[in-house]
Amino acid sequence: MQGFDRKGMAARLAQDIPEGWYVNLGIGIPTMVGDFVPMDREVIFHSENGILGMGPAPAPDKVDPWLVNAGKQAVTLRPGGSYFHHADSFAMIRGGHIDLCVLGAFEVAANGDIANWATSENDTAPAVGGAMDLGAGAKRLWVVMEHTTKDGRPKLVEKCGYPLTTPGAVSRVYTNLGVFEIVKGKGFVVVELAPGVTLEQAQAATAAPLHTQ
């Protein structure tokens, strides 16, 4: 299988973001999405630590140590952008003012459940943090991730086995194997398969039925 690489996944998702949306990008592959939105399309990127109008990473000699995203990565500010108090940022999220949130995940279930913060009930990794607010507060939640784990275990599943971040929130998943819509009462519906990937190959890597319509 050829499929998408990480940048390819981010670029494919970026194609689908409409003009004028306010978009929050999670840590990992989601942070790449902003690099592939066409310059002539106005998409306003939000970071939950208090940025609206976030731009791409700066050149090495232009880094402002005070201007970072929620993942502590250096970013820039687009013309008209602003930064503000953390509480104001979460008021935007909880008030339903973010059109789209893009997150990574450990698992996504056929009913739209997402698990992206812990791999067991006893995990001592970071707490769920802003992902829970974003999953519940954003108007839409799209996930971008590898289709399987490094050892080949499917990440698109019938039911999540890990602690949930938000139930029933995901409407679309972008992976290295393709784009999958989550349709109520049906589950994963194939929107598009990545180059070189067949439906049979995608189904073999998925622990839930894939539908074509």
Side-chain angles (χ1 to χ4, degrees):
M1 290 185 291
Q2 181 181 347
F4 296 119
D5 60 13
R6 290 166 65 90
K7 289 184 178 179
M9 284 185 264
R12 177 61 189 82
L13 189 152
Q15 290 178 18
D16 291 342
I17 303 176
E19 179 87 17
W21 274 17
Y22 289 81
V23 180
N24 180 284
L25 301 177
I27 297 169
I29 301 175
T31 60
M32 302 180 186
V33 171
D35 296 335
F36 295 100
V37 173
M39 292 301 295
D40 61 350
R41 186 187 307 168
E42 185 180 33
V43 174
I44 302 93
F45 289 105
H46 168 271
S47 184
E48 63 263 38
N49 60 320
I51 305 175
L52 197 62
M54 182 172 59
D61 62 339
K62 301 292 184 181
V63 171
D64 179 349
W66 294 101
L67 188 54
V68 296
N69 64 17
K72 302 180 178 64
Q73 298 168 311
V75 294
T76 54
L77 204 63
R78 292 196 179 277
S82 62
Y83 39 94
F84 36 81
H85 194 278
H86 198 88
D88 295 322
S89 181
F90 272 81
M92 294 178 188
I93 296 168
R94 294 169 181 169
H97 302 291
I98 303 302
D99 293 296
L100 170 67
C101 176
V102 182
L103 294 176
F106 296 133
E107 290 178 331
V108 174
N111 67 347
D113 291 352
I114 177 174
N116 84 334
W117 69 281
T119 55
S120 78
E121 295 289 352
N122 300 316
D123 205 320
T124 56
V128 66
M132 180 173 61
D133 293 89
L134 287 159
K139 294 177 183 176
R140 301 163 191 82
L141 177 59
W142 295 352
V143 167
V144 57
M145 63 180 185
E146 299 287 344
H147 204 94
T148 62
T149 62
K150 291 180 180 179
D151 59 2
R153 185 183 58 78
K155 297 172 74 172
L156 273 64
V157 297
E158 194 68 52
K159 182 179 180 181
C160 290
Y162 295 146
L164 294 186
T165 305
T166 314
V170 181
S171 58
R172 191 176 294 179
V173 183
Y174 294 77
T175 78
N176 54 309
L177 301 188
V179 182
F180 308 89
E181 198 85 24
I182 295 179
V183 178
K184 186 176 182 180
K186 184 173 287 188
F188 297 111
V189 175
V190 179
V191 175
E192 175 186 323
L193 292 172
V197 178
T198 67
L199 180 61
E200 291 73 21
Q201 289 170 326
Q203 182 62 79
T206 306
L210 294 179
H211 304 276
T212 56
Q213 59 181 4

